Structure formats: structure tokens, C-alpha cells
Amino acid sequence: MNDSAPSVAQRQLTLRNRRGLHARAAARFAAKAEQFESEVEVEFNDRRVNGKSIMGLMMLAAACGKTISVTATGDDAAQAIEGIADLVDARFHESE
């Protein structure tokens, strides 16, 4: 049993896809976050939501060029942040 505190990783990510955290991007973000056991939280404009919730992510209404703060807490926190950062940097694999 591991009695140490869970790992925490955080990163500021700038949205570069044309439509920001719209439905498709939010779905891809949540799906990526779901691949990890860590809790993932996303903060934008003093609002914090579960990074595994498509609706929560969409409610942030974060547009292109805006910066979101992503925090992962758990044993795979660093990997979660890296995976999510790669997705955001790849513009959610959108052609636009």
C-alpha cells in the first residue's frame, strides 16, 4: 500500500484550434483525460470543472487563443498532463 500523497501535475495550455473548447474538442479532451486514473480539473476564468466531463468543459466557453489551467492529481498525473498537452498542442486533431 502506498501511503504517500498523490502526485500533482499542472500546466497552462493555450487553445490554438479555431473553435476553442467546442463540442468535438471537449469530447476529445474528456476522452483523453478518461485514459488516466488521475483526477483532471480544468480552470478558466475562475471556473473549475472536471476534465472528464464534456458538458463541464463546454461550459467553460474557452475560445481560441485563451489559456486554460489543467491540473491532474493521482499516480499517473504527469502522464495525464503530457497526454492532454499533446492533444491541445495538436489542435485536437482538427483540420481547421
Side-chain angles (χ1 to χ4, degrees), residues 43-63:
E43 190 171 352
F44 178 70
N45 280 349
D46 297 323
R47 204 169 192 182
R48 183 180 290 257
V49 301
N50 182 340
K52 297 179 182 183
S53 166
I54 296 170
M55 290 305 293
L57 291 166
M58 287 175 52
M59 285 176 26
L60 291 176

Side-chain angles (χ1 to χ4, degrees), residues 1 12 16 27 37 39 41 43 52 63-64 71 74 76 88:
M1 183 173 192
Q12 307 295 315
R16 302 195 188 288
E37 289 189 24
E39 289 184 26
E41 292 186 318
E43 190 171 352
K52 297 179 182 183
C64 181
T71 305
D76 59 357
V88 172

